Amino acid sequence: MCRYPPGLIRNRGMTAVELLFTMAIAALVMALAVPNFRDFVQNNRAAEEANALVGALALARSEAVTRGVPVTVCASTDNETCADAVDWSTGWIVFTDVNAPIGAVDVGVPPDTVLRALPELRNGSELTADANFVSYGANGFLSNGADVSFALDIPDCTGNHNRTISVNLQGRGSVANAACD
């Protein structure tokens, strides 16, 4: 006894040809999407890390003008003192730099105060500079005496996803894309 009238037999599922065709389309879409997604992730990682540094520099400049005292940003390995190095990958601190020498956290009267500490970069990124600290005077201008530039290299970089951060004598920071190594 047949449940369905002749000609109205219901098929359930799909044929092997339909399944293979669907899988081929899915593979094609994935082949096109994965490289673009990788570029998207690299670009966002570089932008995030560059913006963290630019934000710290902007904070230092703003605090120097607001407080009327020098404020410095330097590389740090312990979030409390400056690392006398041009490798900033280990993190950096922003601090009031009232006591000499400029570019070092001192305990004089009044003591220098750490305003913000940022941790080391993630995922093996490297940040190097041509100075071991950036110091802003009470007028918001650099007191280093020269422009400062940073090079941010992210791992497994392709295209132009690295960044160059430049700080001019007026204290303004800018970010530009840089070619991968």
Side-chain angles (χ1 to χ4, degrees):
M1 182 169 209
C2 182
R3 290 183 171 173
Y4 301 106
L8 292 178
I9 296 176
R10 298 176 73 163
N11 291 329
R12 297 180 190 232
M14 60 177 113
T15 66
V17 172
E18 291 170 333
L19 180 62
L20 288 174
F21 186 70
T22 303
M23 289 176 59
I25 290 174
L28 181 64
V29 168
M30 290 297 289
L32 294 173
V34 169
N36 290 334
F37 183 72
R38 184 173 180 262
D39 284 349
F40 175 76
V41 168
Q42 281 184 343
N43 190 43
N44 282 348
R45 180 180 306 146
E48 174 190 354
E49 292 173 350
N51 288 340
L53 177 62
V54 171
L57 294 169
L59 171 69
R61 184 177 189 212
S62 173
E63 288 295 320
V65 172
T66 302
R67 294 172 185 251
V69 298
V71 176
T72 300
V73 182
C74 68
S76 178
T77 56
D78 61 3
N79 292 336
E80 295 175 9
T81 59
C82 290
D84 193 22
V86 294
D87 178 14
W88 290 55
S89 303
T90 59
W92 52 89
I93 57 174
V94 179
F95 64 96
T96 59
D97 202 356
V98 179
N99 302 308
I102 297 295
V105 180
D106 304 306
V107 291
V109 177
D112 292 341
T113 305
V114 175
L115 303 173
R116 181 166 296 163
L118 288 107
E120 68 180 303
L121 297 178
R122 299 180 295 157
N123 304 319
S125 296
E126 295 178 8
L127 179 66
T128 56
D130 56 9
N132 56 352
F133 67 90
V134 178
S135 185
Y136 290 91
N139 60 1
F141 285 50
L142 285 188
S143 56
N144 290 46
D147 295 351
V148 179
S149 62
F150 296 85
L152 174 63
D153 295 320
I154 59 172
D156 303 322
C157 182
T158 59
N160 288 329
H161 293 298
N162 282 335
R163 299 288 191 273
T164 301
I165 300 102
S166 302
V167 185
N168 63 20
L169 283 174
Q170 290 78 27
R172 292 190 176 218
S174 63
V175 180
N177 289 355
C180 298
D181 298 332

